[in-house]
Amino acid sequence: QRRVHGDSRIRKEHLPKMATAHRRINKLRDHLAPEEPLQPVRILVTGAAGQIAYSLLFMIAQGRMLGPKQPVILHMLDIPAAAGAMQGVVMELLDGAFPLLKDIVATTDLREAFSNVQIAVLVGARPRGPGMERKDLLGANAAIFQEQGKALNDFADRNVKVLVVGNPANTNAQIASQNAPTIPRENFTALTRLDQNRAVAQLASRLRVPVPTVKNVIIWGNHSATQYPDVNHAFIADYPRPQFVNSVRAAIGNDVWLNDEFIKTVQQRGAAIIKARKLSSAASAANAACDHIRDWFLGTAEGEFTSMGVPSTGAYGIPEGVIYSFPVVCRNGTYQIVEGLQIDAFSREKMMLTDKELREEKEMANAHLATLSKK
């Protein structure tokens, strides 16, 4: 009896330790258990045989856009004349053996391309040819994006998120939105993250600091030579030493450079690249498109914002509905314009100039579409 009683007493003493061990084992089992697989996201890229898409499609397949765990199905659209080249890109995507790439839909048919897509990156657009007037370029692209807006309206997921990359990006996004009345207006955006990245890189190079330490640079307005790269709310983390924060303007210490050469360099960077390589920006534009969508879906860091061309809410005196680049914060697949920032007279003048250009572009594009509708 003593022996039995003694054994019983020993077991009771060990119960708390055994319970702790069981909890640890269960926690380890939960950690090692396979996660519920994520459903693939359908992503459309138009102009799929073009330069930008050639970089962008592989970045998406690698997980650069939605993260390393999110599987994707790529929808690829191009014109019939580019169908052969597009099939070559498909072959390369398959040869990449990307674990996240679950399927590819490559087509020249709008319905097939746009069906059930959850993200649409509209890259394909008419480039400006020799002797082509700006109004002619606007008109040609207005017709393309009118058609694609209708396709989004008719075939895409009802909450599809749209990023327009093809230029003139802001106005093309405006036209697409006008032709997709069943899709929320705020789901249409234009790419100005490329301009933000260019501005950040210029500042980081000037200060000889890592690019990620430059925060909250703003691009206001149009993705064009009238855009306004604004550093008045930007700061440098861990500068001049760790744990310190310094404003960009104070760190640079040269207002003449910031208000003139810096702005012009960012505004004209696309033209400088064309002059140097005889082709427009491609890899950097694809990278910026991934940055734009990733922040939109996965969120911006606390205390930081990014630049996106979005429909104005009337903030900062920009007419409501104009697709204009603002500073935004992103949470849970949505964005919100950052309001209440102080705007000085120099900035206000720059912001109104780019707004004027956007309203002129919209009028010219709509006038061209009205002419087409009468034919």
Side-chain angles (χ1 to χ4, degrees), residues 135-356:
K135 64 179 181 180
D136 297 327
L137 179 67
L138 284 163
N141 280 300
I144 292 170
F145 284 85
Q146 179 184 53
E147 183 179 50
Q148 293 188 357
K150 290 176 179 177
L152 285 163
N153 192 70
D154 293 343
F155 309 124
D157 183 271
R158 292 302 82 195
N159 195 37
V160 61
K161 301 294 197 295
V162 182
L163 168 61
V164 176
V165 177
N167 288 319
N170 297 56
T171 298
N172 289 343
Q174 187 93 49
I175 297 301
S177 176
Q178 289 173 192
N179 287 277
T182 67
I183 294 172
R185 185 178 64 176
E186 62 270 18
N187 286 20
F188 286 84
T189 66
L191 184 69
T192 56
R193 181 59 175 268
L194 175 57
D195 307 303
Q196 178 185 315
N197 289 350
R198 288 167 170 169
V200 166
Q202 290 295 315
L203 295 168
S205 176
R206 180 88 176 187
L207 289 169
R208 297 187 179 183
V209 300
V211 166
T213 65
V214 183
K215 315 284 189 181
N216 291 3
V217 176
I218 300 169
I219 301 297
W220 298 99
N222 199 4
H223 174 61
S224 74
T226 68
Q227 64 175 271
Y228 171 45
D230 178 8
V231 303
N232 289 322
H233 309 281
F235 64 91
I236 313 290
D238 297 321
Y239 185 87
R241 51 190 178 274
Q243 307 302 317
F244 277 71
V245 172
N246 204 348
S247 76
V248 163
R249 196 167 280 281
I252 294 289
N254 187 337
D255 285 349
V256 173
W257 182 80
L258 284 171
N259 292 344
D260 185 56
E261 185 181 338
F262 164 71
I263 292 174
K264 289 177 181 175
T265 297
V266 177
Q267 288 175 333
Q268 298 168 8
R269 188 64 165 185
I273 289 169
I274 291 173
K275 183 178 179 181
R277 70 185 294 257
K278 308 300 184 270
L279 293 166
S280 61
S281 308
S284 58
N287 177 65
C290 287
D291 291 343
H292 178 114
I293 296 291
R294 186 181 61 250
D295 282 353
W296 192 355
F297 273 73
L298 304 183
T300 47
E302 192 67 35
E304 297 179 25
F305 43 74
T306 188
S307 298
M308 293 169 59
V310 302
S312 174
T313 58
Y316 300 102
I318 304 305
E320 188 173 347
V322 173
I323 293 189
Y324 186 100
S325 184
F326 289 97
V328 302
V329 292
C330 303
R331 298 283 185 277
N332 302 316
T334 64
Y335 63 81
Q336 185 174 3
I337 294 172
V338 177
E339 299 196 41
L341 298 175
Q342 293 297 312
I343 306 297
D344 61 23
F346 178 85
S347 298
R348 175 64 60 189
E349 181 180 356
K350 297 287 186 185
M351 291 165 66
M352 291 301 103
L353 179 66
T354 191
D355 169 56
K356 179 175 180 288

Side-chain angles (χ1 to χ4, degrees), residues 7-179:
D7 290 344
S8 176
R9 187 179 62 210
I10 292 170
R11 285 198 296 271
K12 287 179 180 177
E13 288 176 351
H14 282 78
L15 278 175
K17 291 182 179 179
M18 290 172 65
T20 300
H22 278 298
R23 282 196 296 270
R24 288 177 177 170
I25 290 168
N26 288 333
K27 189 176 287 187
L28 181 61
R29 186 184 294 123
D30 292 341
H31 178 72
L32 294 175
E35 294 180 354
E36 195 71 28
L38 296 171
Q39 290 300 306
V41 173
R42 292 183 177 271
I43 304 175
L44 167 65
V45 176
T46 68
Q51 274 201 97
I52 295 174
Y54 190 73
S55 293
L56 177 59
L57 289 161
F58 293 90
M59 291 180 183
I60 295 171
Q62 290 168 342
R64 290 275 300 279
M65 180 175 278
L66 295 178
K69 295 183 179 180
Q70 178 59 63
V72 297
I73 296 173
L74 283 174
H75 287 229
M76 300 165 57
L77 175 71
D78 217 314
I79 58 175
M86 181 168 59
Q87 285 304 318
V89 178
V90 170
M91 287 186 246
E92 287 207 71
L93 284 165
L94 293 173
D95 292 349
F98 299 107
L100 294 175
L101 182 56
K102 299 305 178 186
D103 199 5
I104 300 172
V105 178
T107 182
T108 60
D109 178 72
L110 282 173
R111 179 170 192 153
E112 188 178 10
F114 282 83
S115 287
N116 301 313
V117 295
Q118 295 151 289
I119 298 172
V121 186
L122 307 184
V123 178
R126 172 81 178 271
R128 191 167 188 165
M132 181 180 277
E133 296 289 335
R134 181 161 158 259
K135 64 179 181 180
D136 297 327
L137 179 67
L138 284 163
N141 280 300
I144 292 170
F145 284 85
Q146 179 184 53
E147 183 179 50
Q148 293 188 357
K150 290 176 179 177
L152 285 163
N153 192 70
D154 293 343
F155 309 124
D157 183 271
R158 292 302 82 195
N159 195 37
V160 61
K161 301 294 197 295
V162 182
L163 168 61
V164 176
V165 177
N167 288 319
N170 297 56
T171 298
N172 289 343
Q174 187 93 49
I175 297 301
S177 176
Q178 289 173 192
N179 287 277

